[in-house]
Amino acid sequence: MAQHILNAVALGSVYLVFALGMALAWSTIGILNFAHGATFMFSAFTAHVITQQVALPMPAVVLIAVAAGALIATLTQVLAFGPIMRRATEHRAAELRILIGGIGVAAIPLAIAERVTASAPFGFRGSTYQAQVFEVFGLRMTTTVLVIVVAGIGIGVGVWRWLATSRQGLALRAIGVDSETASLMGVDRATLALGTMATSGALAGLAGALLTFQLGAIAPASGDQLLIKAFAIVVLGGLGSMGGVIVGAFVLAGAETFVLAMNQGTWVDAVSFGLIFLVLLLRPQGLFGRKEVRRT
Amino acid sequence: MRAPHRWRRLRRATACALAVVAAVAMSGCDAAQGGIATQEGIPEEIKLLGVRDQTGPVAYAGIGGARGGELAISEINRSGFLGDGVKLTIEEIDTAGSIETASAEMAQATADRTVHAIMGPTQGQQAATVAPMVERAQVPTIFTQAGSDGVVVNDYTYRATAPMASYYDLATEYLADKRLGDVSVLYNATFPTFAEIGKGSLPKQAEQHGLDIISSTPVQSTTQDFTTPVRSIAGEDPDAVVMLLTEPQSVTALTQLRQAGYDGQVMATSVQGGGNLTEAGKHGEGVIYPTDFSPALTSEKARDFVAAFQERFGQKPDVYAAEGYDGMWWLARAIKASGSASREGIKRGLQQVAKEGFDGAMGELTFEGNDMRVPGVLVRWNGTSEELVSRGGAS
């Protein structure tokens, strides 16, 4: 039982790092970035290409993926989302165009990775890092799992508290509540949006590197599967609540692990998403969302 | 105001003349491009179309098939197999992993009267969607991969890939020979080929060979992390684990299985061939799998194919390339056997060759109806390449 809980915590930590970036942009600057999965994949792919040329330790690989993720997300904001938002006459129209724009942006890195790898799995075999297996109180885990759990929970709580207490976090939340009023109060929306997207991309890159180390390899399409899960996590936790995202990630991972432990693997998606559906029926705003639409 | 009668007649005559000129020009154009594909006999140019994924999630299968076919065409043309000056030509059209694109491209391809035959999509769902279409248009179509039901369903649909289940008994035979009696199965139950083996043929073959399946764990195509199922399997400590998973899944499952402490035999599938286990590193070493083709095969045909492929593309061929190669040779033999490159002639020829069978890169090829069968071979991944385990079958 304890081993299953540990497995769920490890899986939830990966979901959390991935979903945090998406939730951050969605709940503050109102960008539901459908290119987040492609950013995650292409960051790991960039690190994969570099490790094929140079043998690098884990921290260097993670740093490359984080930098690549931040760069991709920044470019996405500058070249796609920024112009869409400037040209949109109303918020709802902008949201829809951003959603479609994100799908379009995602197709580019996906096509490049598929072309280069012929859609074969890729990983960090060129890295000098080798996962070590150890046991604590009868629980078997790897050093990769340990890094993921510490990073996932640490960054999750860190982002949550930063948004709740820091000056910039408060400014971001103000944009999430009412961007026009926030601008009148002196909040530089454009700069904060750029910074938020860069942070969101960096988190996608971090998730890409950590998950690739954990799984051994990912495929170009792996980001799409995580994107759906992240979407579900944000909705389950409640849009606008970082605490909700943390809880949502572990609830989804726990449900999946439970179904797998019961040897009912084909029911994983049905049970997990059914559970989310049930929660939303009883509490449409999600577990920690507020009834009125207020972001973060 | 009505035009005078004389002018109306003149206009009608001009329109008729233009229509005749256009029809003559089009037929001339057809003839210049290799003749209308319904005419009997063998023209100087036999035009084929490859409608399959060159990009998308399973691009490797389409690219491999196209390369194998390209090599076969160069050999067929160079050797004058179909007669002096007769050339096979092929144009590849990318279906990009999309059923809609495959359907649209096939509709266009089947409407082109200069196309003699088509090498069809490799994805099962795409292939099943276009199969009724090729029957309506009466264009013989050879598929590779496309293991789903509903693909080989009429006289115009053919498949140059043997179902995995038809040679998977090589795996159970091996496990029985090595007295690896207790077997745990981990399979992707939402992938039709693996579901059929995991739930259907494998339990039957295991029973026949006296193997005991102590657990059977289904997962989905969306499953990315295998920590929980492999921990359970490692706890059972079976003699062997049969792993029926897709490429990225198998790398993860193998890595996590070894990290969970299992060091026994892992039996996989041909999906793990073609270097797909490379990313698993040391965790992939020693994995055994039955496959329809391996570059390690020692038959003369296989060795010649591997050498020619390496010379042309600078790398060893995978199963997809071998299937594309043998599929193209099936088509060429069909044209020769029927003495006609017309669509009907090719159809007759494909059926005739299927009745007789032939020797290909994958070994001695036989057929069940329009569906290819191969002897298969058991190989071991040593971390960098495949090596033969069994010396029977196709080796």
Side-chain angles (χ1 to χ4, degrees):
Chain A
M1 183 63 183
Q3 185 69 58
H4 291 319
I5 292 171
L6 176 68
N7 297 345
V9 169
L11 186 62
S13 301
V14 173
Y15 288 169
L16 178 59
V17 178
F18 182 87
L20 267 178
M22 194 167 142
L24 185 66
W26 191 8
S27 61
T28 56
I29 55 174
I31 288 178
L32 175 53
N33 181 10
F34 265 46
H36 196 70
T39 307
F40 154 90
M41 177 279 297
F42 206 76
S43 308
F45 175 72
T46 306
H48 156 76
V49 171
I50 293 171
T51 53
Q52 279 189 316
Q53 309 302 322
V54 197
L56 296 170
M58 187 194 215
V61 176
V62 170
L63 212 61
I64 289 167
V66 166
L71 182 66
I72 294 165
T74 305
L75 286 174
T76 306
Q77 174 65 16
V78 171
L79 301 175
F81 297 160
I84 288 173
M85 290 179 93
R86 275 198 300 276
R87 285 174 195 165
T89 49
E90 53 155 335
H91 186 66
R92 187 170 287 277
E95 278 185 337
L96 190 64
R97 286 176 199 164
I98 282 170
L99 207 133
I100 294 163
I103 295 169
V105 168
I108 300 166
L110 186 65
I112 295 170
E114 282 180 344
R115 174 65 74 175
V116 174
T117 63
S119 299
F122 58 85
F124 303 140
R125 210 163 41 90
S127 165
T128 54
Y129 172 76
Q130 292 290 326
Q132 302 299 315
V133 183
F134 60 96
E135 280 194 30
V136 181
F137 304 120
L139 298 176
R140 197 177 174 93
M141 70 172 94
T142 64
T143 43
T144 316
V145 166
L146 195 64
V147 170
I148 286 173
V149 171
V150 170
I153 296 174
I155 292 169
V157 173
V159 170
W160 177 29
R161 295 315 305 157
W162 176 76
L163 273 175
T165 57
S166 77
R167 191 178 169 79
Q168 283 183 319
L170 288 170
L172 266 177
R173 291 170 62 201
I175 292 173
V177 174
D178 187 335
S179 63
E180 281 182 28
T181 310
S183 296
L184 291 171
M185 304 282 285
V187 174
D188 184 352
R189 191 185 182 286
T191 308
L192 273 177
L194 203 64
T196 305
M197 280 298 286
T199 309
S200 165
L203 287 169
L206 177 67
L210 293 181
L211 191 68
T212 308
F213 275 119
Q214 161 75 349
L215 301 184
I218 62 168
S222 296
D224 296 342
Q225 291 164 14
L226 273 179
L227 192 71
I228 296 166
K229 296 196 177 184
F231 188 79
I233 286 165
V234 176
V235 174
L236 176 67
L239 181 59
S241 167
M242 284 296 152
V245 173
I246 297 171
V247 173
F250 289 110
V251 167
L252 184 68
E256 288 187 1
T257 305
F258 174 76
V259 178
L260 279 168
M262 294 292 107
N263 198 17
Q264 300 295 324
T266 47
W267 288 93
V268 166
D269 287 349
V271 170
S272 306
F273 288 96
L275 182 72
I276 290 166
F277 177 64
L278 198 66
V279 168
L280 291 182
L281 268 183
L282 301 171
R283 201 177 156 77
Q285 71 272 31
L287 289 174
F288 295 92
R290 296 170 190 163
K291 273 192 178 169
E292 55 182 324
V293 182
R294 286 168 64 87
R295 297 189 173 110
T296 309
Chain B
M1 201 171 122
R2 293 181 67 191
H5 187 66
R6 196 167 44 149
W7 284 108
R8 278 205 316 249
R9 271 200 309 193
L10 188 62
R11 264 195 337 217
R12 202 176 295 152
T14 310
C16 285
L18 284 172
V20 170
V21 168
V24 169
M26 280 180 75
S27 66
C29 185
D30 285 338
Q33 288 175 7
I36 296 170
T38 49
Q39 289 174 348
E40 290 298 326
I42 302 180
E44 282 194 352
E45 184 188 359
I46 301 166
K47 187 178 165 187
L48 310 173
L49 276 185
V51 183
R52 46 194 163 189
D53 290 356
Q54 299 296 301
T55 56
V58 291
Y60 49 84
I63 292 169
R67 284 180 170 182
E70 183 189 320
L71 176 63
I73 285 175
S74 75
E75 290 176 1
I76 292 159
N77 291 345
R78 200 175 54 239
S79 65
F81 182 79
L82 294 172
D84 285 343
V86 176
K87 299 275 180 219
L88 279 176
T89 61
I90 189 163
E91 184 190 342
E92 291 291 337
I93 296 168
D94 183 12
T95 50
S98 154
I99 296 172
E100 294 77 18
T101 308
S103 185
E105 294 293 354
M106 280 299 272
Q108 211 170 329
T110 52
D112 184 345
R113 295 172 67 216
T114 65
V115 173
H116 293 252
I118 296 171
M119 310 309 282
T122 52
Q123 260 194 44
Q125 284 178 316
Q126 287 182 22
T129 304
V130 303
M133 199 184 287
V134 300
E135 185 187 29
R136 276 198 301 276
Q138 301 186 329
V139 187
T141 301
I142 300 177
F143 299 94
T144 53
Q145 293 294 300
S148 312
D149 289 339
V151 176
V152 182
V153 286
N154 52 56
D155 287 345
Y156 294 89
T157 48
Y158 301 84
R159 185 161 45 201
T161 298
M164 200 182 281
S166 69
Y167 57 85
Y168 206 79
D169 60 339
L170 289 171
T172 43
E173 270 174 31
Y174 175 85
L175 295 176
D177 284 351
K178 295 290 175 189
R179 299 184 188 284
L180 300 171
D182 289 343
V183 177
S184 296
V185 183
L186 176 63
Y187 71 104
N188 182 335
T190 50
F191 191 90
T193 303
F194 296 147
E196 200 244 311
I197 296 175
K199 281 191 286 196
S201 56
L202 182 65
K204 284 181 201 157
Q205 289 166 0
E207 195 179 346
Q208 283 167 8
H209 290 101
L211 304 176
D212 185 16
I213 295 181
I214 56 176
S215 75
S216 187
T217 308
V219 293
Q220 294 176 307
S221 291
T222 52
T223 305
Q224 290 183 315
D225 187 283
F226 291 85
T227 312
T228 299
V230 300
R231 286 265 155 81
S232 301
I233 290 172
E236 294 162 0
D237 196 23
D239 296 327
V241 174
V242 173
M243 197 181 71
L244 309 166
L245 300 173
T246 60
E247 297 87 343
Q249 284 185 324
S250 57
V251 172
T252 303
L254 264 173
T255 303
Q256 295 182 336
L257 188 63
R258 297 306 189 201
Q259 287 173 345
Y262 180 74
D263 56 5
Q265 182 62 56
V266 175
M267 183 65 72
T269 71
S270 58
V271 169
Q272 279 69 55
N276 280 329
L277 282 181
T278 308
E279 289 298 335
K282 64 178 181 183
H283 302 303
E285 289 174 20
V287 172
I288 294 178
Y289 45 90
T291 178
D292 52 0
F293 171 81
S294 167
L297 287 175
T298 53
S299 70
E300 194 183 337
K301 281 263 183 196
R303 277 191 284 121
D304 289 349
F305 166 62
V306 172
F309 193 93
Q310 263 187 306
E311 193 184 333
R312 194 176 185 93
F313 298 107
Q315 64 187 82
K316 286 183 179 174
D318 53 22
V319 289
Y320 313 109
E323 290 161 4
Y325 179 82
D326 281 346
M328 190 58 75
W329 269 106
W330 182 12
L331 180 74
R333 285 167 188 274
I335 294 169
K336 194 167 189 174
S338 70
S340 172
S342 73
R343 292 173 175 179
E344 284 303 307
I346 291 174
K347 183 193 86 174
R348 286 196 309 274
L350 286 169
Q351 290 171 349
Q352 190 179 327
V353 175
K355 276 182 193 148
E356 295 160 2
F358 69 97
D359 204 15
M362 292 188 285
E364 210 169 292
L365 306 174
T366 55
F367 294 82
E368 275 185 25
N370 298 350
D371 222 354
M372 193 180 274
R373 293 291 181 271
V374 297
V377 63
L378 207 57
V379 295
R380 178 186 288 109
W381 178 252
N382 66 13
T384 52
S385 62
E386 290 173 354
E387 47 191 46
L388 289 182
V389 174
S390 65
R391 296 204 58 82
S395 61

